Structures are given as structure tokens and as C-alpha cells.
Amino acid sequence: MYKVGTLVILVVLVVVFAAPVRAAVAGGVMWAVEPLLAMSRATHNGISSFIQTFSSTRTLIAENTAIKRELDDLKMRLLDRNLLAEENAQLRELMGQTPVPSGVLGTVLSGPGFAPYDTLVVDAGKNVGIQEGDRVFIGENVIIGRVSAVYAYSSQVVLLSSPGEKSDVVLFGGTSSDSVVTAIGRGGGSFEILIPRDIVIATGTPVFALGTSRIIATVEGSEGNANDPFKKLLLRTPINPQSIRFVRIVSSRPPL
Amino acid sequence: MTKRLVADALMVLSAIFLPWWITAPLIVAGCMFMEAFYEGIMLAAIIDLIYGTTTLPHLTIAACLAFLAGPVLRERVRWYS
């Protein structure tokens, strides 16, 4: 009886995870589970706010000081950025290109740390026109993933930093000319790139997606030994994937 | 029977409200201590369907292994009270 049951369940699993059936089954499961995931997210937010009320005053003062310092630093950078953005807009206007803000805002229902894979479940699906392959951003310029499955009211996003995920990127600011390389995801918001040992890239250098001005990650450091002609460049996404709460999903289809 | 139903309900709740690294050991424990714990495999399959990509369903495979190893371990492990 036990053996027959095991065999039956194995057959069922093979059928469930087979490509043609999987999407339909996953759609049904997501339809049932999505409200529960939203409830779970709300509960987590409530619990973490409650726990924060018990933080010690000293910790809060230290955090406050650090945040103020960071804010001052960001204000300085923003001034520079605003000037550049203005100049960029003027140049685009001269060239006859007017940028139009686009995309759909999605709330993250669950993400890495909570889920066993480097994926996000977002509360935007077919109902708002999301399609498989759409790009996922944080803010305006940081690209973090692509939509891998779309359901009626939700969608699944694979992070570019998922283990084994490959992305073509451009490295600026090396000792040689700009290089186009492939970044391989290592999970948890980190990537690795194999580059010749002689190329020196400073920590904090942004790495862009090929053919765009979108940031994928920043350089964190490198590792390798003196006998190896190549070294591993370690990259990290600008934001910790576990703390992502909102994303912007942009269609990958060309505008009409 | 009641004990099993309570365990099943707790496990479903943990899959929804708690991180996977709490649910996964619970599934393994279920396979260890309960007879023919098919629910564990189904729960792992649901988690894989929700969060997994088209690659291998790792959690389901782990649950299947725990399911198969459960009776063997139960027989061989000696419990002292």
C-alpha cells in the first residue's frame, strides 16, 4: 500500500512539474494563495513595526545619526544628478526624443529569504498587462530582474542575481577601454564576473546592463590568485533583495 | 487522527506565514514521525510551484527523499526516554 502510494505521488509530481501542465497548475495555486500571501506580508509588516517600538533609545539615536549623515551625502549627489538629468532631458529634446515615464508599480508579496529561491512574487499580473519577459526595476535606473511567469493577479520575477542567471553587462572605468562581459548570478543579490587580472576596477563602480544606461550592480571587490590570468570580480545589487517592497515593471515589448 | 490534522494545519500555516527554512525542517520532521506523510510532499510541491522557476523543484525532491528515508530512519533510530 505504502509503495503504491509513493509511486502514485511520484507520477503526480512528474506530471505537475512537466512544462505544459506546470503553468496551469501554478496558476490555480497562485489564485488560491495570493490573498494569503498578501495577508502574510501585512502580518510581517505589522510584527516588525511592533518589534521596532521596543528598540532601545541609544540604538535609535545611533541609527538617526547615521541616516542623517547618509541623507546629507545623498543630497550632495542628488544636486549633481539633477544637473545631469536636466542636461540629458535637454539633449533628448534637441534630438526629438521625449522620455515618457512608464511601467506598472507592483508590491512584493514575498521575496528571497522568505522563499527558497531568488524570486519575487509581485501583486501585478495579467490584470494590469504584465507579460513574461518584462523587465523589473527599482526606482528609475536599477534593473533587478525579469518576469518569469504571469498569473491572473500576480506574477513571478526571477532576480538577475539568481544562481546561474547570466546577464550581459558593460564595465566602465577600467584601466583599459570599456569591456562587455557576462555577469553570473550567485544568489542573494551578488554576481561574479571573470575578467583579466590586469584590469583594475575600483570598488563602488556601477555596472550597466548592455545597451542601456540601467545599473545592475556595483563592484564590491575581487578575488583570485597571482598564478591565474583571470580574477573574479564580485558585484552586489544596490539594494538588498530581501528588503525590496515595491518594484516597477516595464514592458519589454517595443512601443507602438 | 486529530494530531495529524493539527500538524497538517500548522504546516500549511507555516508555509504561508513563515520563511521556507522553518517549513522545510517541519516537513522532514513530519516524514520522520508520521506514517506515510504524503502531505509533506504536496506542501513542498506547492511551495516550489509558487516560488520556483522552471529549473528543478529542489524542495519537492528533498521532501521525496525525506519521505523515503523517514520509515528507514524511524526503524533504525533508538529513542530513549
Side-chain angles (χ1 to χ4, degrees):
Chain A
M1 182 64 193
Y2 192 67
K3 278 181 183 169
V4 174
T6 311
L7 202 67
V8 168
I9 208 148
L10 282 175
V11 171
V12 169
L13 287 174
V14 168
V15 172
V16 164
F17 286 104
V21 186
R22 187 194 164 109
V25 178
V29 168
M30 281 310 296
W31 177 80
V33 163
E34 202 228 303
L36 297 173
L37 286 178
M39 198 166 82
S40 163
R41 184 78 193 188
T43 313
H44 277 267
N45 290 344
I47 290 171
S48 57
S49 324
F50 179 72
I51 289 170
Q52 271 172 10
T53 53
F54 294 103
S55 296
S56 76
T57 319
R58 195 180 292 172
T59 317
L60 286 174
I61 290 170
E63 266 180 23
N64 197 8
T65 316
I67 288 169
K68 273 183 183 165
R69 205 173 296 145
E70 199 176 337
L71 186 68
D72 288 341
D73 184 40
L74 287 174
K75 269 183 188 168
M76 291 294 288
R77 285 197 211 175
L78 195 62
L79 279 174
D80 185 36
R81 189 185 174 280
N82 284 348
L83 281 172
L84 289 172
E86 208 172 298
E87 190 183 304
N88 187 291
Q90 280 172 359
L91 285 170
R92 276 176 185 272
E93 214 173 303
L94 280 173
M95 300 290 286
Q97 294 179 332
T98 317
V100 181
S102 61
V104 173
L105 183 75
T107 307
V108 176
L109 298 177
S110 76
F114 191 86
Y117 301 93
D118 251 17
T119 53
L120 305 174
V121 176
V122 181
D123 73 341
K126 282 179 188 158
N127 57 329
V128 285
I130 305 295
Q131 286 199 336
E132 214 174 300
D134 286 356
R135 289 159 301 163
V136 181
F137 291 81
I138 293 178
E140 278 179 41
N141 274 326
V142 179
I143 181 165
I144 56 154
R146 64 178 166 81
V147 174
S148 58
V150 188
Y151 308 110
Y153 299 98
S154 59
S155 47
Q156 190 194 58
V157 175
V158 174
L159 296 177
L160 296 178
S161 61
S162 294
E165 191 80 8
K166 290 178 182 171
S167 325
D168 290 331
V169 296
V170 184
L171 268 174
F172 294 110
T175 46
S176 61
S177 58
D178 307 332
S179 354
V180 177
V181 282
T182 303
I184 300 170
R186 296 192 347 159
S190 57
F191 301 83
E192 66 179 38
I193 291 176
L194 214 56
I195 57 165
R197 200 182 57 200
D198 302 336
I199 297 181
V200 180
I201 306 273
T203 305
T205 306
V207 176
F208 297 88
L210 181 64
T212 67
S213 53
R214 314 296 193 190
I215 297 170
I216 280 191
T218 52
V219 176
E220 275 288 297
S222 62
E223 61 182 37
N225 61 54
N227 301 325
D228 201 335
F230 289 94
K231 67 177 175 184
K232 253 185 217 168
L233 204 60
L234 305 172
L235 317 175
R236 193 150 188 81
T237 47
I239 186 163
N240 180 359
Q242 292 190 21
S243 60
I244 299 171
R245 295 181 70 176
F246 299 100
V247 291
R248 190 166 63 91
I249 304 169
V250 177
S251 174
S252 55
R253 285 158 291 167
L256 294 170
Chain B
M1 187 67 186
T2 316
K3 209 190 275 182
R4 184 149 188 158
L5 282 174
V6 170
D8 289 348
L10 285 176
M11 239 171 251
V12 170
L13 288 176
S14 88
I16 293 163
F17 290 99
L18 298 174
W20 72 275
W21 43 266
I22 295 178
T23 311
L26 285 178
I27 292 173
V28 174
C31 292
M32 263 299 271
F33 297 111
M34 287 187 218
E35 195 69 36
F37 192 62
Y38 295 110
E39 306 94 298
I41 300 179
M42 294 318 291
L43 203 61
I46 288 171
I47 293 173
D48 273 333
L49 280 172
I50 297 171
Y51 303 115
T53 50
T54 45
T55 50
L56 276 176
H58 298 103
L59 205 62
T60 311
I61 292 170
C64 287
L65 290 177
F67 180 84
L68 295 173
V72 182
L73 287 173
R74 214 179 308 137
E75 247 173 50
R76 294 188 181 208
V77 173
R78 197 170 291 168
W79 303 95
Y80 292 98
S81 53

